[in-house]
Short mmCIF file of all heavy atoms in Angstrom, two decimals:
data_model
loop_
_atom_site.label_atom_id
_atom_site.label_comp_id
_atom_site.label_asym_id
_atom_site.label_seq_id
_atom_site.Cartn_x
_atom_site.Cartn_y
_atom_site.Cartn_z
N MET B 9 10.90 -5.78 70.11
CA MET B 9 12.18 -5.18 70.46
C MET B 9 13.32 -5.90 69.63
O MET B 9 13.31 -7.07 69.50
CB MET B 9 12.40 -5.47 71.92
CG MET B 9 13.61 -4.62 72.53
SD MET B 9 13.70 -4.72 74.22
CE MET B 9 12.01 -4.30 74.77
N ALA B 10 14.24 -5.10 69.08
CA ALA B 10 15.22 -5.74 68.18
C ALA B 10 16.29 -6.53 69.10
O ALA B 10 16.73 -6.03 70.14
CB ALA B 10 16.00 -4.59 67.52
N VAL B 11 16.59 -7.73 68.54
CA VAL B 11 17.54 -8.63 69.17
C VAL B 11 18.59 -9.02 68.09
O VAL B 11 18.32 -8.86 66.93
CB VAL B 11 16.98 -9.85 69.77
CG1 VAL B 11 15.98 -9.51 70.92
CG2 VAL B 11 16.18 -10.66 68.83
N ASP B 12 19.70 -9.44 68.63
CA ASP B 12 20.74 -9.86 67.65
C ASP B 12 20.65 -11.38 67.41
O ASP B 12 19.59 -12.01 67.85
CB ASP B 12 22.07 -9.48 68.10
CG ASP B 12 22.61 -10.18 69.33
OD1 ASP B 12 21.96 -11.19 69.71
OD2 ASP B 12 23.56 -9.77 69.89
N GLU B 13 21.60 -11.99 66.66
CA GLU B 13 21.50 -13.34 66.36
C GLU B 13 21.61 -14.30 67.55
O GLU B 13 21.22 -15.53 67.34
CB GLU B 13 22.62 -13.74 65.29
CG GLU B 13 24.06 -13.54 65.77
CD GLU B 13 24.54 -12.14 65.94
OE1 GLU B 13 23.86 -11.20 65.44
OE2 GLU B 13 25.57 -11.92 66.53
N ARG B 14 22.04 -13.80 68.67
CA ARG B 14 22.02 -14.58 69.91
C ARG B 14 20.81 -14.38 70.69
O ARG B 14 20.70 -14.97 71.89
CB ARG B 14 23.33 -14.23 70.71
CG ARG B 14 24.61 -14.54 70.05
CD ARG B 14 25.84 -13.95 70.80
NE ARG B 14 25.55 -12.44 70.94
CZ ARG B 14 26.28 -11.74 71.83
NH1 ARG B 14 27.15 -12.25 72.65
NH2 ARG B 14 26.00 -10.41 71.92
N ASN B 15 19.85 -13.63 70.27
CA ASN B 15 18.64 -13.22 70.92
C ASN B 15 18.86 -12.25 72.10
O ASN B 15 18.17 -12.18 73.04
CB ASN B 15 17.97 -14.49 71.58
CG ASN B 15 16.47 -14.62 71.06
OD1 ASN B 15 16.12 -13.82 70.14
ND2 ASN B 15 15.73 -15.39 71.58
N CYS B 16 20.05 -11.55 72.03
CA CYS B 16 20.31 -10.50 73.02
C CYS B 16 19.69 -9.21 72.58
O CYS B 16 19.73 -8.92 71.43
CB CYS B 16 21.80 -10.36 73.06
SG CYS B 16 22.79 -11.83 73.43
N ILE B 17 19.10 -8.49 73.59
CA ILE B 17 18.39 -7.28 73.15
C ILE B 17 19.58 -6.27 72.76
O ILE B 17 20.52 -6.03 73.36
CB ILE B 17 17.70 -6.61 74.35
CG1 ILE B 17 16.63 -7.63 74.84
CG2 ILE B 17 17.12 -5.34 74.13
CD1 ILE B 17 15.95 -7.21 76.13
N LYS B 18 19.20 -5.57 71.55
CA LYS B 18 20.24 -4.70 71.07
C LYS B 18 20.06 -3.29 71.73
O LYS B 18 18.93 -2.80 71.82
CB LYS B 18 19.95 -4.41 69.54
CG LYS B 18 20.41 -5.57 68.71
CD LYS B 18 20.26 -5.15 67.22
CE LYS B 18 20.67 -6.28 66.31
NZ LYS B 18 20.45 -5.87 64.91
N VAL B 19 21.19 -2.69 72.29
CA VAL B 19 21.14 -1.43 72.93
C VAL B 19 22.22 -0.66 72.47
O VAL B 19 23.23 -1.19 71.99
CB VAL B 19 21.32 -1.57 74.58
CG1 VAL B 19 20.05 -2.24 75.13
CG2 VAL B 19 22.52 -2.33 74.90
N ASP B 20 22.16 0.67 72.49
CA ASP B 20 23.31 1.59 72.21
C ASP B 20 24.08 1.83 73.51
O ASP B 20 23.80 1.28 74.54
CB ASP B 20 22.73 2.86 71.48
CG ASP B 20 21.92 3.78 72.41
OD1 ASP B 20 21.90 3.60 73.67
OD2 ASP B 20 21.23 4.66 71.95
N ARG B 21 24.93 2.80 73.41
CA ARG B 21 25.77 2.99 74.60
C ARG B 21 25.21 3.72 75.71
O ARG B 21 25.63 3.79 76.90
CB ARG B 21 27.09 3.74 74.14
CG ARG B 21 26.87 5.19 73.57
CD ARG B 21 28.17 5.65 73.02
NE ARG B 21 29.26 5.57 73.96
CZ ARG B 21 29.95 6.62 74.46
NH1 ARG B 21 29.66 7.77 74.01
NH2 ARG B 21 30.92 6.55 75.27
N ASN B 22 23.84 4.14 75.51
CA ASN B 22 23.10 4.71 76.58
C ASN B 22 22.05 3.71 77.04
O ASN B 22 21.08 3.96 77.72
CB ASN B 22 22.30 5.99 76.18
CG ASN B 22 23.25 7.11 75.94
OD1 ASN B 22 24.20 7.26 76.71
ND2 ASN B 22 23.00 8.01 74.89
N GLN B 23 22.19 2.46 76.71
CA GLN B 23 21.32 1.33 77.04
C GLN B 23 19.91 1.48 76.41
O GLN B 23 18.99 0.77 76.83
CB GLN B 23 21.18 1.18 78.53
CG GLN B 23 22.49 1.03 79.29
CD GLN B 23 23.34 -0.09 78.89
OE1 GLN B 23 24.58 0.03 78.73
NE2 GLN B 23 22.72 -1.27 78.63
N SER B 24 19.81 2.34 75.47
CA SER B 24 18.52 2.46 74.72
C SER B 24 18.26 1.27 73.82
O SER B 24 19.17 0.91 73.07
CB SER B 24 18.44 3.73 73.96
OG SER B 24 18.72 4.89 74.72
N THR B 25 17.05 0.83 73.78
CA THR B 25 16.69 -0.19 72.71
C THR B 25 16.14 0.59 71.59
O THR B 25 16.22 1.78 71.54
CB THR B 25 15.61 -1.16 73.34
OG1 THR B 25 14.45 -0.41 73.47
CG2 THR B 25 15.97 -1.83 74.60
N ASN B 26 15.65 -0.20 70.57
CA ASN B 26 15.07 0.49 69.45
C ASN B 26 13.65 1.07 69.70
O ASN B 26 13.08 1.72 68.82
CB ASN B 26 15.01 -0.54 68.33
CG ASN B 26 14.07 -1.67 68.47
OD1 ASN B 26 14.07 -2.20 69.52
ND2 ASN B 26 13.27 -1.95 67.47
N ILE B 27 13.13 0.75 70.87
CA ILE B 27 11.77 1.34 71.28
C ILE B 27 12.08 2.52 72.12
O ILE B 27 12.68 2.42 73.14
CB ILE B 27 10.89 0.21 72.01
CG1 ILE B 27 10.81 -0.97 71.04
CG2 ILE B 27 9.58 0.88 72.41
CD1 ILE B 27 10.07 -2.07 71.71
N ASP B 28 11.40 3.60 71.67
CA ASP B 28 11.52 4.90 72.43
C ASP B 28 11.10 4.72 73.94
O ASP B 28 10.00 4.27 74.20
CB ASP B 28 10.73 5.90 71.73
CG ASP B 28 11.03 7.32 72.13
OD1 ASP B 28 12.20 7.66 72.44
OD2 ASP B 28 10.05 8.16 72.28
N GLY B 29 11.93 5.09 74.82
CA GLY B 29 11.69 5.03 76.22
C GLY B 29 11.89 3.64 76.85
O GLY B 29 11.52 3.52 78.06
N VAL B 30 12.40 2.75 76.13
CA VAL B 30 12.63 1.46 76.69
C VAL B 30 14.17 1.18 76.73
O VAL B 30 14.81 1.33 75.70
CB VAL B 30 11.90 0.32 75.91
CG1 VAL B 30 12.26 -1.14 76.36
CG2 VAL B 30 10.46 0.50 75.88
N PHE B 31 14.68 0.74 77.88
CA PHE B 31 16.11 0.56 78.11
C PHE B 31 16.34 -0.84 78.56
O PHE B 31 15.47 -1.46 79.16
CB PHE B 31 16.66 1.60 79.13
CG PHE B 31 16.30 2.98 78.73
CD1 PHE B 31 15.14 3.65 79.05
CD2 PHE B 31 17.21 3.70 78.04
CE1 PHE B 31 14.73 4.90 78.70
CE2 PHE B 31 16.91 5.01 77.61
CZ PHE B 31 15.72 5.64 77.98
N ALA B 32 17.48 -1.34 78.27
CA ALA B 32 17.90 -2.71 78.67
C ALA B 32 19.27 -2.79 79.25
O ALA B 32 20.10 -1.95 78.84
CB ALA B 32 17.68 -3.66 77.55
N ALA B 33 19.51 -3.72 80.24
CA ALA B 33 20.86 -3.78 80.81
C ALA B 33 21.04 -5.14 81.38
O ALA B 33 20.14 -5.85 81.52
CB ALA B 33 20.92 -2.76 82.06
N GLY B 34 22.31 -5.45 81.53
CA GLY B 34 22.66 -6.79 82.06
C GLY B 34 22.59 -7.94 81.10
O GLY B 34 22.85 -7.74 79.90
N ASP B 35 22.50 -9.09 81.56
CA ASP B 35 22.62 -10.33 80.82
C ASP B 35 21.69 -10.36 79.69
O ASP B 35 21.99 -10.98 78.59
CB ASP B 35 22.32 -11.60 81.64
CG ASP B 35 23.55 -11.90 82.60
OD1 ASP B 35 24.47 -11.17 82.64
OD2 ASP B 35 23.38 -12.90 83.20
N CYS B 36 20.50 -9.69 79.70
CA CYS B 36 19.58 -9.72 78.55
C CYS B 36 20.16 -8.97 77.36
O CYS B 36 19.76 -9.19 76.28
CB CYS B 36 18.21 -9.14 78.95
SG CYS B 36 18.18 -7.36 79.40
N ALA B 37 21.12 -8.07 77.65
CA ALA B 37 21.75 -7.40 76.51
C ALA B 37 23.17 -8.06 76.11
O ALA B 37 23.79 -7.72 75.22
CB ALA B 37 22.01 -5.91 76.89
N CYS B 38 23.52 -9.08 77.02
CA CYS B 38 24.74 -9.94 76.71
C CYS B 38 26.03 -9.29 76.61
O CYS B 38 26.93 -9.77 75.84
CB CYS B 38 24.44 -10.76 75.46
SG CYS B 38 22.95 -11.69 75.41
N TRP B 39 26.21 -8.06 77.16
CA TRP B 39 27.55 -7.43 76.86
C TRP B 39 28.65 -8.07 77.68
O TRP B 39 29.62 -8.70 77.20
CB TRP B 39 27.43 -5.90 77.01
CG TRP B 39 28.72 -5.39 76.44
CD1 TRP B 39 28.79 -5.03 75.12
CD2 TRP B 39 29.91 -4.97 77.03
NE1 TRP B 39 30.05 -4.59 74.86
CE2 TRP B 39 30.74 -4.47 76.03
CE3 TRP B 39 30.35 -4.92 78.32
CZ2 TRP B 39 32.10 -3.99 76.31
CZ3 TRP B 39 31.60 -4.53 78.56
CH2 TRP B 39 32.42 -4.00 77.57
N GLY B 40 28.59 -7.88 78.96
CA GLY B 40 29.69 -8.36 79.90
C GLY B 40 29.40 -9.72 80.49
O GLY B 40 30.35 -10.49 80.81
N MET B 41 28.08 -10.06 80.78
CA MET B 41 27.72 -11.26 81.48
C MET B 41 28.45 -11.39 82.85
O MET B 41 28.80 -12.47 83.21
CB MET B 41 27.95 -12.50 80.53
CG MET B 41 27.26 -12.48 79.20
SD MET B 41 25.50 -12.24 79.30
CE MET B 41 24.96 -13.96 79.51
N GLN B 42 28.58 -10.30 83.47
CA GLN B 42 29.21 -10.26 84.90
C GLN B 42 28.36 -9.36 85.78
O GLN B 42 27.69 -8.45 85.16
CB GLN B 42 30.63 -9.68 84.82
CG GLN B 42 31.66 -10.60 84.05
CD GLN B 42 32.04 -11.77 84.92
OE1 GLN B 42 32.60 -11.55 85.88
NE2 GLN B 42 31.79 -13.00 84.41
N ALA B 43 28.37 -9.60 86.98
CA ALA B 43 27.62 -8.78 87.95
C ALA B 43 27.92 -7.33 87.91
O ALA B 43 27.06 -6.44 87.89
CB ALA B 43 27.76 -9.34 89.33
N ALA B 44 29.22 -7.10 87.82
CA ALA B 44 29.70 -5.70 87.79
C ALA B 44 29.18 -4.90 86.54
O ALA B 44 28.74 -3.76 86.72
CB ALA B 44 31.18 -5.60 87.96
N THR B 45 29.26 -5.50 85.45
CA THR B 45 28.82 -4.91 84.18
C THR B 45 27.31 -4.66 84.25
O THR B 45 26.80 -3.66 83.81
CB THR B 45 29.24 -5.58 82.90
OG1 THR B 45 28.94 -6.98 83.01
CG2 THR B 45 30.73 -5.45 82.69
N ALA B 46 26.56 -5.73 84.76
CA ALA B 46 25.16 -5.60 84.81
C ALA B 46 24.74 -4.45 85.73
O ALA B 46 23.79 -3.61 85.41
CB ALA B 46 24.51 -6.87 85.38
N ALA B 47 25.54 -4.29 86.82
CA ALA B 47 25.19 -3.17 87.77
C ALA B 47 25.49 -1.82 87.06
O ALA B 47 24.72 -0.89 87.21
CB ALA B 47 25.98 -3.30 89.02
N GLY B 48 26.53 -1.69 86.37
CA GLY B 48 26.89 -0.49 85.72
C GLY B 48 25.91 -0.12 84.55
O GLY B 48 25.48 1.04 84.53
N GLU B 49 25.59 -1.13 83.82
CA GLU B 49 24.64 -0.84 82.73
C GLU B 49 23.28 -0.48 83.37
O GLU B 49 22.59 0.30 82.91
CB GLU B 49 24.45 -2.12 81.92
CG GLU B 49 25.62 -2.32 81.01
CD GLU B 49 25.59 -3.74 80.31
OE1 GLU B 49 24.50 -4.29 80.31
OE2 GLU B 49 26.63 -4.16 79.83
N GLY B 50 22.94 -1.19 84.51
CA GLY B 50 21.65 -0.89 85.06
C GLY B 50 21.57 0.54 85.61
O GLY B 50 20.60 1.27 85.47
N ALA B 51 22.76 1.05 86.12
CA ALA B 51 22.73 2.45 86.67
C ALA B 51 22.55 3.32 85.46
O ALA B 51 21.81 4.38 85.48
CB ALA B 51 24.08 2.78 87.32
N MET B 52 23.26 3.12 84.37
CA MET B 52 23.21 3.92 83.11
C MET B 52 21.71 3.84 82.66
O MET B 52 21.07 4.91 82.31
CB MET B 52 24.13 3.43 81.99
CG MET B 52 23.95 4.15 80.72
SD MET B 52 24.26 5.90 80.83
CE MET B 52 25.92 6.07 80.60
N ALA B 53 21.11 2.75 82.61
CA ALA B 53 19.76 2.62 82.04
C ALA B 53 18.79 3.45 82.93
O ALA B 53 17.86 4.04 82.50
CB ALA B 53 19.32 1.18 82.06
N ALA B 54 18.94 3.29 84.34
CA ALA B 54 18.17 4.07 85.19
C ALA B 54 18.18 5.54 85.02
O ALA B 54 17.24 6.33 85.00
CB ALA B 54 18.44 3.65 86.63
N LEU B 55 19.50 6.01 84.81
CA LEU B 55 19.69 7.43 84.53
C LEU B 55 19.02 7.90 83.34
O LEU B 55 18.40 8.97 83.25
CB LEU B 55 21.22 7.64 84.49
CG LEU B 55 21.69 9.14 84.31
CD1 LEU B 55 21.21 9.98 85.48
CD2 LEU B 55 23.21 9.20 84.21
N GLN B 56 19.24 7.08 82.20
CA GLN B 56 18.53 7.51 80.95
C GLN B 56 17.04 7.45 80.98
O GLN B 56 16.39 8.27 80.42
CB GLN B 56 19.14 6.55 79.84
CG GLN B 56 20.59 6.63 79.62
CD GLN B 56 21.08 8.01 79.23
OE1 GLN B 56 20.28 8.82 78.60
NE2 GLN B 56 22.26 8.39 79.56
N ALA B 57 16.48 6.51 81.76
CA ALA B 57 15.11 6.42 81.91
C ALA B 57 14.62 7.64 82.73
O ALA B 57 13.51 8.29 82.32
CB ALA B 57 14.72 5.16 82.69
N TYR B 58 15.38 8.06 83.73
CA TYR B 58 14.98 9.32 84.45
C TYR B 58 14.96 10.42 83.50
O TYR B 58 14.06 11.30 83.53
CB TYR B 58 15.99 9.44 85.62
CG TYR B 58 15.86 10.80 86.35
CD1 TYR B 58 14.80 10.99 87.19
CD2 TYR B 58 16.73 11.79 86.11
CE1 TYR B 58 14.69 12.25 87.86
CE2 TYR B 58 16.64 12.95 86.79
CZ TYR B 58 15.58 13.25 87.65
OH TYR B 58 15.46 14.49 88.29
N ARG B 59 16.01 10.55 82.71
CA ARG B 59 16.09 11.76 81.81
C ARG B 59 14.97 11.73 80.79
O ARG B 59 14.46 12.73 80.42
CB ARG B 59 17.42 11.73 81.06
CG ARG B 59 18.63 12.12 81.88
CD ARG B 59 19.93 12.09 81.17
NE ARG B 59 20.95 12.56 81.98
CZ ARG B 59 22.26 12.38 81.92
NH1 ARG B 59 22.66 11.66 80.90
NH2 ARG B 59 23.20 12.84 82.70
N TYR B 60 14.69 10.43 80.32
CA TYR B 60 13.59 10.32 79.33
C TYR B 60 12.21 10.83 79.93
O TYR B 60 11.46 11.58 79.35
CB TYR B 60 13.50 8.86 78.94
CG TYR B 60 12.38 8.59 77.95
CD1 TYR B 60 12.50 8.80 76.62
CD2 TYR B 60 11.09 8.19 78.40
CE1 TYR B 60 11.46 8.72 75.71
CE2 TYR B 60 10.05 7.94 77.54
CZ TYR B 60 10.23 8.23 76.22
OH TYR B 60 9.20 8.00 75.34
N VAL B 61 11.93 10.43 81.14
CA VAL B 61 10.65 10.75 81.76
C VAL B 61 10.66 12.27 81.99
O VAL B 61 9.68 12.93 81.68
CB VAL B 61 10.44 9.99 83.11
CG1 VAL B 61 9.32 10.52 83.90
CG2 VAL B 61 10.33 8.48 82.87
N ARG B 62 11.82 12.83 82.46
CA ARG B 62 11.74 14.28 82.63
C ARG B 62 11.50 15.03 81.36
O ARG B 62 10.82 15.97 81.30
CB ARG B 62 13.18 14.76 83.16
CG ARG B 62 13.42 14.24 84.60
CD ARG B 62 12.73 15.11 85.64
NE ARG B 62 13.15 16.50 85.46
CZ ARG B 62 13.81 17.17 86.37
NH1 ARG B 62 14.23 16.70 87.36
NH2 ARG B 62 14.08 18.47 86.07
N ARG B 63 12.15 14.56 80.22
CA ARG B 63 11.96 15.13 79.01
C ARG B 63 10.47 15.06 78.42
O ARG B 63 9.97 16.00 77.91
CB ARG B 63 12.82 14.45 77.92
CG ARG B 63 13.45 15.32 76.80
CD ARG B 63 14.66 14.69 76.15
NE ARG B 63 14.49 13.31 75.76
CZ ARG B 63 15.28 12.31 76.24
NH1 ARG B 63 16.34 12.54 76.97
NH2 ARG B 63 15.07 11.10 75.77
N VAL B 64 9.91 13.88 78.55
CA VAL B 64 8.56 13.62 78.12
C VAL B 64 7.57 14.44 78.93
O VAL B 64 6.54 14.91 78.27
CB VAL B 64 8.30 12.16 78.15
CG1 VAL B 64 6.82 11.84 77.90
CG2 VAL B 64 9.15 11.35 77.18
N LYS B 65 7.80 14.58 80.16
CA LYS B 65 6.81 15.33 81.09
C LYS B 65 6.72 16.76 80.71
O LYS B 65 5.73 17.37 80.90
CB LYS B 65 7.25 15.17 82.54
CG LYS B 65 6.61 13.90 83.16
CD LYS B 65 6.95 13.75 84.65
CE LYS B 65 6.40 14.80 85.48
NZ LYS B 65 6.86 14.61 86.90
N LYS B 66 7.83 17.31 80.18
CA LYS B 66 7.86 18.77 79.95
C LYS B 66 6.84 19.23 78.91
O LYS B 66 6.64 18.53 77.96
CB LYS B 66 9.22 19.22 79.64
CG LYS B 66 10.11 19.40 80.89
CD LYS B 66 11.50 19.89 80.51
CE LYS B 66 12.30 19.90 81.79
NZ LYS B 66 13.68 20.03 81.48
C1 FAD F 17 26.39 -20.02 87.96
C2 FAD F 17 26.72 -18.58 87.75
C3 FAD F 17 27.86 -18.06 88.37
C4 FAD F 17 28.14 -16.71 88.14
N1 FAD F 17 29.32 -16.21 88.74
C5 FAD F 17 29.57 -14.83 88.52
C6 FAD F 17 30.73 -14.29 89.32
O1 FAD F 17 31.46 -14.99 89.93
N2 FAD F 17 31.02 -13.02 89.01
C7 FAD F 17 30.29 -12.22 88.29
O2 FAD F 17 30.50 -10.97 88.14
N3 FAD F 17 29.16 -12.70 87.59
C8 FAD F 17 28.87 -14.13 87.76
N4 FAD F 17 27.75 -14.52 87.17
C9 FAD F 17 26.96 -13.77 86.17
C10 FAD F 17 25.99 -12.79 86.94
O3 FAD F 17 25.31 -13.52 87.86
C11 FAD F 17 25.14 -12.16 85.93
O4 FAD F 17 25.90 -11.44 84.94
C12 FAD F 17 24.24 -11.00 86.65
O5 FAD F 17 23.43 -11.62 87.65
C13 FAD F 17 23.30 -10.36 85.56
O6 FAD F 17 22.36 -9.58 86.29
P1 FAD F 17 21.05 -9.19 85.59
O7 FAD F 17 20.48 -8.21 86.54
O8 FAD F 17 21.26 -8.85 84.17
O9 FAD F 17 20.24 -10.64 85.49
P2 FAD F 17 19.73 -11.54 86.70
O10 FAD F 17 20.69 -11.41 87.93
O11 FAD F 17 19.60 -12.89 86.15
O12 FAD F 17 18.33 -10.91 87.11
C14 FAD F 17 17.17 -11.08 86.38
C15 FAD F 17 16.01 -11.08 87.28
O13 FAD F 17 14.85 -11.01 86.55
C16 FAD F 17 13.81 -11.94 87.08
N5 FAD F 17 12.96 -12.18 86.02
C17 FAD F 17 13.10 -13.01 84.94
N6 FAD F 17 12.04 -13.04 84.20
C18 FAD F 17 11.19 -12.27 84.72
C19 FAD F 17 9.86 -11.81 84.42
N7 FAD F 17 9.17 -12.32 83.34
N8 FAD F 17 9.26 -10.97 85.21
C20 FAD F 17 9.82 -10.48 86.29
N9 FAD F 17 11.15 -10.87 86.66
C21 FAD F 17 11.72 -11.71 85.90
C22 FAD F 17 14.76 -13.13 87.54
O14 FAD F 17 14.04 -13.86 88.45
C23 FAD F 17 15.96 -12.38 88.25
O15 FAD F 17 15.75 -11.99 89.54
C24 FAD F 17 27.36 -15.87 87.27
C25 FAD F 17 26.23 -16.43 86.79
C26 FAD F 17 25.92 -17.80 86.84
C27 FAD F 17 24.72 -18.29 86.29
#
């Protein structure tokens, strides 16, 4: 999985990593390093994972 120079997992604005179907959120992606941002990113990652599974299953 791609990480940056701080060893943080690289994600795009949909919390997608460089691996298809793998999402990351919260401190491991090092964006906000706060509980509220981790929760928001986690919600986005879960939504995108749901969409990914729905897409792949069809
Ligand atoms: C001392 C301290 C004070 C803080 N105070 C605040 C504050 O006042 N306000 C605020 O907004 N934020 C605060 N933060 C930051 C906040 O706690 C984090 O940003 C937030 O918890 C990140 O959530 P997360 O889900 O990404 O990671 P975490 O909450 O760290 O959750 C990661 C989970 O993964 C588990 N885990 C790790 N490795 C594995 C593995 N191999 N297999 C399975 N499970 C694993 C861990 O046990 C943990 O339960 C504080 C942080 C610290 C350290």
Side-chain angles (χ1 to χ4, degrees):
M9 193 173 307
V11 296
D12 67 15
E13 64 287 348
R14 298 170 300 165
N15 236 12
C16 302
I17 298 172
K18 286 186 178 178
V19 291
D20 66 14
R21 61 191 308 242
N22 290 324
Q23 305 304 136
S24 300
T25 69
N26 64 315
I27 301 175
D28 194 35
V30 177
F31 305 86
D35 285 4
C36 66
C38 306
W39 196 80
M41 303 301 278
Q42 293 282 298
T45 51
E49 290 174 12
M52 173 61 87
L55 180 62
Q56 296 303 332
Y58 171 76
R59 288 179 176 160
Y60 177 83
V61 170
R62 293 281 305 246
R63 216 166 41 240
V64 168
K65 269 180 69 180
K66 280 183 187 166

